[in-house]
């Protein structure tokens, strides 16, 4: 059992929770994730660690209420307990001075890009961040991203805040005028695919963090398999961070839609 010590509503459907989980916090590294189970009957929800404080023993998670389990999680409040909070799982990103790193975060993907930018900034990298959301009311953590970036660009699809357009338009512009050593992108699969197609043209090393359907998170079930460079990889133990140019996005996009009907029905039954 772990305790929720802080809850913040970032946007109507995106919530932040700070969890008292000293053992996870002590070992956590940027890029890793946890699996949350609300109660004994609960579904396992994989969530990338958005922040952690090993001294205070806390781990922050950010999630979008998209299905039954995330809606249920969002109904919990400060002081409530979560039955299982397993982690840190997966591999951390390589922590070194690459030079100039461009961190791209789209929508909820802004949460998992933050710890990566933070640790790389600490290691002396120059960080340019590009964050984007559909509209201003879906944008969060601009201040946090600013605090770990040498330059920050903000986009909204509808132009309600920052620059109108996708994160990829700004990335294209930054690529044209600056030398870049590494691009890291986290967000919807289609965004990571488009970022990777763009950076491939310029032969810029690119990392993406994948979030396929996942069950156990420890390499046993194979649900999170993904083709990377023609090899079958398990996102939970081989990732979640992979070379963006080698991921078979189309296969992953199709696999993500496998249970849409069941997911929809579960939400409808829960809300009835
Ligand atoms: P969204 O659809 O609102 O997109 C967020 C931003 O991504 C957009 O504002 C745009 O700048 C960019 N984008 C989207 N489509 C693009 C395209 N075709 N080309 C270029 N840029 C594009 O995102 P959302 O609703 O906040 O995100 C939800 C998705 O993010 C879910 O599918 C979720 O699974 C995924 N997600 C991924 C991770 C991860 O670790 N990879 C973490 C959290 C959420």
């Amino acid at each position: 059992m772990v305790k929720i010590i802080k809850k913040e509503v970032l946007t109507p459907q995106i919530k932040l929770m700070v969890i008292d989980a000293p053992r996870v916090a002590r070992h956590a590294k940027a890029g890793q994730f946890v699996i949350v189970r609300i109660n004994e009957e609960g579904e396992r929800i994989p969530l990338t660690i958005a922040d952690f404080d090993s001294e205070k023993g806390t781990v922050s998670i950010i999630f979008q209420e998209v299905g039954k389990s995330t809606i249920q999680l969002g109904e919990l409040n400060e002081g409530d307990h979560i039955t299982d909070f397993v982690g840190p799982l997966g591999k951390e990103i390589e922590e070194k001075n690459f030079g100039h790193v461009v961190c791209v975060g789209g929508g909820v993907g802004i949460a998992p890009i933050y710890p990566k930018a933070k640790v790389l900034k600490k290691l002396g990298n120059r960080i340019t961040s590009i964050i984007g959301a559909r509209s201003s009311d879906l944008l969060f953590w601009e201040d946090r991203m600013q605090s770990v970036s040498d330059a920050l660009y903000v986009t909204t699809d509808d132009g309600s805040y920052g620059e109108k357009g996708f994160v990829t338009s700004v990335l294209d512009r930054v690529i044209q005028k600056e030398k870049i050593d590494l691009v890291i992108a986290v967000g919807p699969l289609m965004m990571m695919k488009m970022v990777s197609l763009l950076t491939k043209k310029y032969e810029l090393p690119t990392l993406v963090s994948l979030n396929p359907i996942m069950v156990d998170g420890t390499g046993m079930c194979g649900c999170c398999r993904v083709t990377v460079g023609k090899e079958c990889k398990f996102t939970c133990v081989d990732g979640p961070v992979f070379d963006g140019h080698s991921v078979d996005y189309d296969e992953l996009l199709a696999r993500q839609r496998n249970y849409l009907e069941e997911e929809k029905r579960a939400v409808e039954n829960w809300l009835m």
Side-chain angles (χ1 to χ4, degrees), residues 77-98:
N77 289 306
E78 286 176 9
D80 288 342
H81 287 82
I82 292 171
T83 301
D84 292 326
F85 194 80
V86 180
L89 299 168
K91 289 185 178 157
E92 68 267 28
I93 56 158
E94 193 184 355
E95 296 185 1
K96 71 169 201 185
N97 193 331
F98 295 93

Side-chain angles (χ1 to χ4, degrees), residues 51-52 100 103 115 119 234 241:
D51 203 4
F52 57 91
H100 182 200
C103 294
V119 72
F234 286 180
V241 176

Side-chain angles (χ1 to χ4, degrees), residues 4 6-19 36-39 43 45 47 61-82 270-271:
I4 301 165
K6 189 178 164 203
K7 176 183 177 184
E8 214 179 297
V9 178
L10 299 177
T11 79
Q13 253 120 41
I14 302 176
K15 291 177 179 158
L16 159 82
M17 283 178 179
V18 180
I19 311 293
V36 175
R37 208 163 58 113
I38 303 164
N39 54 40
E43 184 187 17
I45 316 169
L47 294 169
I61 51 171
I62 289 182
F63 56 95
Q64 188 175 25
E65 294 178 1
V66 283
K68 173 184 172 252
S69 299
T70 43
I71 294 173
Q72 261 184 297
L73 182 60
E75 285 169 355
L76 298 181
N77 289 306
E78 286 176 9
D80 288 342
H81 287 82
I82 292 171
W270 173 253
L271 295 176

